[in-house]
Amino acid sequence: MNRITDNRLSIALAGFCVLFVGCFPFYKYVFDVDGVGYAAVAKQYAAGQFSLAVNGYWSPLHSWITIPFIKLGILPEDAFRYSNGLIAIGCLYALHKLLQKTTLTDFFKSAILFTSVIILLHYSFYELAADLLLVFILLLLFNLVQLKEFYSSIPLNMVAGTLGALAYFAKSYAFPFFLLYFILLHFFCNPNAAKKIYCIIAGVVVFLLLSFPWIYALHWKYGEWMIAHGKNNYGNWDLKYRDLTGPLLSAPPYPGSSSIWEDPWKIEQLNFREASLLSILLHQIRIVLFNLQQLFTSLHSISFFSAVILFLSVAFQFKEKKRFWFFLLLTSAALSSGYLLLHIETRFLWSLTFLFLIAGSMLLQKLFDAFSLLRWQQRVLQLIFFGSFLLEPVNVLKDNLHVNKQLYQTTEIIRQYTVNGSFTSNVKQGECMVMAYLSGNPYYTISKPLYTANELWQEIEQKKIRYYLFYYKTPIEKELFVAGLLAKKATLTTEIEPGLMILHFY
């Protein structure tokens, strides 16, 4: 056992590399609609098109990382997949350094690291450019703030400001999160009043100085001061709050773009208008209440012990007053609080996974110290605990085997039918955006929820859209469509695969 625990980092890194390379063929089709945005931005950077690459929706850091891969001739989507593996390796190393700062036994440190191999494998293959990069940067930040000298060292706080800026470049949410988190850490954990002020100023100034060039670039492009354009949290309002005066079909934003999702700035501007203050307030309350439910669901997805870990952390914070329990609670609250106002998913909280692993292990270690359990009893409890963190990763990895392979096959069929030019579709806009990117054909997004066939045809004719993809589920749905206006206007109608017809107009 000593040989294993003494070399746990090397074993974990080797194990991850073997699993990543071995599993890569099963997940090589991972490509989500957000990945279209990130990949398109990376292509623009690699091509030197800075004015097109600057983007208020897709944070730039991951795209910057992939530029050397693209310069070597690697496809942007593959560059993101490879970089995910490298980022996960960095996460393992950062986690190892964080574990070294705890009082956990070598067994628990090894178990956490080995469990994290599967967790990070899941994160690597979850989406093309999900929150894994932010996890890595936050793990580095967690390492930093766990140092005793952090609360008295100006240089270390300047490093924290640098990590905060990198986190912002990885995900725009990190801008408000870092400011809140960094200030609260010093406010509650720094006993030296004078040093507290100097440390906060040093970190915040470096953070803002490094962040400003990107903020200025967004202002230069969009004409507004912002940290990001982002998704509007009022996106699911009833139609009475929608501005329906814009075009039905939204074109790709730039020449050569595949779809509006490469920079959704314009489509968002078309869809919303001001609502009353009372409506906004009531809607925001509904958003928060709904997101509270989603928060508990997301934490349960990390581990079904998450709520227990947080509850016991509160209890031990009052009992022991140790810095780690407060650190866990503050980090959990700061990271999740902003999402409650907007939208929350499990991937937004991935960095908490590793803190929960550490906290839960500390609680188990306390349990073993307090009660004389037999070795096999300890092992059963450890197996249940660490297994709880693997249920979701293993389940998602299983469900995502060859995910989107059919999408690639459909794209190839479209190429075989010599589809070359603009197209739109009745549904599955996300999948069509991915196919548009892969095939190099511009996709026009239907940006209104209600429209008539005549309105759609007028815009198809006006914009000279060459193809229409019609997805259907039942024979009667197909029959009704074939008898309708669009099918009659088509010069050629072909069923390219079950449930999908393509109409040629020009």
Side-chain angles (χ1 to χ4, degrees):
M1 179 62 73
N2 286 341
R3 185 171 295 179
I4 294 176
T5 56
D6 290 345
N7 297 283
R8 56 181 170 269
L9 177 60
S10 299
I11 294 172
L13 291 175
F16 176 83
C17 290
V18 169
L19 287 173
F20 183 83
V21 173
C23 291
F24 192 87
F26 301 105
Y27 302 99
K28 64 181 180 179
Y29 301 107
V30 170
F31 201 169
D32 55 290
V33 66
D34 287 358
V36 169
Y38 284 106
V41 167
K43 283 175 62 177
Q44 301 287 10
Y45 276 120
Q49 299 291 334
F50 181 76
S51 61
L52 302 182
V54 172
N55 198 295
Y57 264 74
W58 314 118
S59 300
L61 185 56
H62 203 159
S63 295
W64 293 343
I65 291 172
T66 62
I67 293 174
F69 294 91
I70 299 172
K71 290 289 189 179
L72 291 173
I74 297 173
L75 291 174
E77 53 269 33
D78 284 333
F80 278 92
R81 296 176 185 125
Y82 300 151
S83 65
N84 281 341
L86 294 175
I87 294 167
I89 289 173
C91 288
L92 280 173
Y93 180 78
L95 177 60
H96 169 71
K97 301 300 289 186
L98 185 61
L99 289 170
Q100 296 297 88
K101 297 177 175 63
T102 71
T103 57
L104 289 170
T105 64
D106 286 342
F107 175 87
F108 275 110
K109 290 177 182 177
S110 301
I112 290 172
L113 212 55
F114 297 155
T115 301
S116 298
V117 168
I118 305 300
I119 294 171
L120 288 168
L121 191 71
H122 156 51
Y123 293 172
S124 300
F125 292 128
Y126 182 75
E127 287 180 353
L128 202 66
D131 290 45
L132 183 59
L133 180 56
L134 180 64
V135 171
F136 172 59
I137 297 170
L138 290 185
L139 282 173
L140 294 178
L141 182 63
F142 296 161
N143 268 280
L144 189 66
V145 302
Q146 286 297 301
L147 296 173
K148 290 182 180 180
E149 57 269 29
F150 171 75
Y151 296 95
S152 60
S153 171
I154 299 298
L156 287 181
N157 281 271
M158 295 175 70
V159 174
T162 303
L163 290 174
L166 290 175
Y168 166 50
F169 297 151
K171 189 178 181 71
S172 58
Y173 177 80
F175 189 98
F177 163 73
F178 174 78
L179 289 176
L180 174 68
Y181 183 59
F182 181 73
I183 293 172
L184 289 179
L185 273 175
H186 278 289
F187 184 81
F188 288 110
C189 300
N190 196 333
N192 189 318
K195 277 289 185 181
K196 179 187 301 186
I197 300 299
Y198 290 125
C199 288
I200 290 175
I201 291 174
V204 170
V205 167
V206 170
F207 170 72
L208 294 177
L209 285 176
L210 293 176
S211 300
F212 181 75
W214 179 249
I215 295 173
Y216 182 79
L218 295 178
H219 176 269
W220 165 75
K221 180 167 183 175
Y222 298 110
E224 297 180 21
W225 289 108
M226 64 179 78
I227 58 173
H229 187 252
K231 293 181 179 179
N232 195 310
N233 64 315
Y234 302 113
N236 294 319
W237 280 57
D238 294 334
L239 292 181
K240 61 184 178 180
Y241 297 122
R242 294 256 184 173
D243 181 358
L244 302 178
T245 59
L248 173 60
L249 293 172
S250 295
Y254 317 118
S257 295
S258 60
S259 69
I260 192 68
W261 209 238
E262 290 190 13
D263 193 344
W265 170 268
K266 293 182 179 179
I267 192 172
E268 292 293 336
Q269 292 298 308
L270 291 172
N271 281 348
F272 301 99
R273 66 181 180 183
E274 292 184 1
S276 69
L277 182 61
L278 179 61
S279 297
I280 293 174
L281 178 62
L282 292 175
H283 181 70
Q284 189 63 68
I285 292 173
R286 184 185 69 82
I287 288 278
V288 171
L289 293 176
F290 175 77
N291 284 337
L292 275 172
Q293 295 178 321
Q294 295 303 110
L295 173 61
F296 291 120
T297 301
S298 297
L299 292 176
H300 189 270
S301 297
I302 291 174
S303 167
F304 51 75
F305 286 118
S306 294
V308 176
I309 291 170
L310 288 173
F311 176 78
L312 291 177
S313 297
V314 173
F316 277 103
Q317 169 60 24
F318 281 109
K319 179 181 179 181
E320 300 178 346
K321 306 293 184 183
K322 286 188 177 179
R323 179 176 291 173
F324 179 80
W325 302 117
F326 184 79
F327 163 72
L328 171 67
L329 295 171
L330 177 62
T331 304
S332 301
L335 187 63
S336 58
S337 58
Y339 288 126
L340 294 179
L341 300 174
L342 302 169
H343 170 68
I344 195 165
E345 297 178 27
T346 303
R347 64 186 175 93
F348 299 168
L349 307 176
W350 277 352
S351 56
L352 295 182
T353 301
F354 307 101
L355 298 185
F356 287 172
L357 274 168
I358 294 172
S361 297
M362 292 172 65
L363 293 170
L364 272 181
Q365 195 166 279
K366 285 179 177 292
L367 177 66
F368 297 161
D369 291 341
F371 298 95
S372 299
L373 298 178
L374 298 175
R375 179 63 64 90
W376 72 266
Q377 293 172 323
Q378 293 182 13
R379 292 294 180 259
V380 169
L381 290 176
Q382 290 163 344
L383 183 63
I384 294 173
F385 171 72
F386 288 107
S388 72
F389 286 86
L390 294 178
L391 287 177
E392 183 74 4
V394 170
N395 187 51
V396 174
L397 285 169
K398 173 182 66 67
D399 291 344
N400 284 352
L401 284 169
H402 299 297
V403 65
N404 282 338
K405 183 177 181 179
Q406 180 60 47
L407 199 60
Y408 275 74
Q409 292 174 343
T410 301
T411 303
E412 188 57 36
I413 292 172
I414 287 176
R415 287 196 185 102
Q416 292 173 5
Y417 278 91
T418 62
V419 171
N420 184 23
S422 56
F423 72 104
T424 187
S425 68
N426 60 326
V427 291
K428 297 190 178 183
Q429 293 186 346
E431 294 183 10
C432 287
M433 289 177 186
V434 174
M435 289 195 295
Y437 177 89
L438 294 173
S439 65
N441 293 313
Y443 177 73
Y444 282 67
T445 308
I446 296 178
S447 55
K448 293 181 182 179
L450 297 176
Y451 56 90
T452 65
N454 188 58
E455 289 173 335
L456 179 58
W457 169 247
Q458 287 179 1
E459 290 221 20
I460 288 175
E461 191 174 31
Q462 177 187 356
K463 293 179 168 66
K464 300 204 178 297
I465 295 173
R466 301 188 64 186
Y467 309 98
Y468 181 79
L469 271 58
F470 176 72
Y471 290 90
Y472 65 91
K473 295 180 179 178
T474 63
I476 187 64
E477 188 179 0
K478 175 184 176 181
E479 290 177 12
L480 290 173
F481 176 75
V482 169
L485 174 65
L486 291 182
K488 292 177 180 178
K489 294 290 186 179
T491 58
L492 177 65
T493 301
T494 309
E495 184 160 2
I496 62 174
E497 62 183 28
L500 175 58
M501 300 172 61
I502 184 166
L503 277 61
H504 299 239
F505 293 125
Y506 299 101

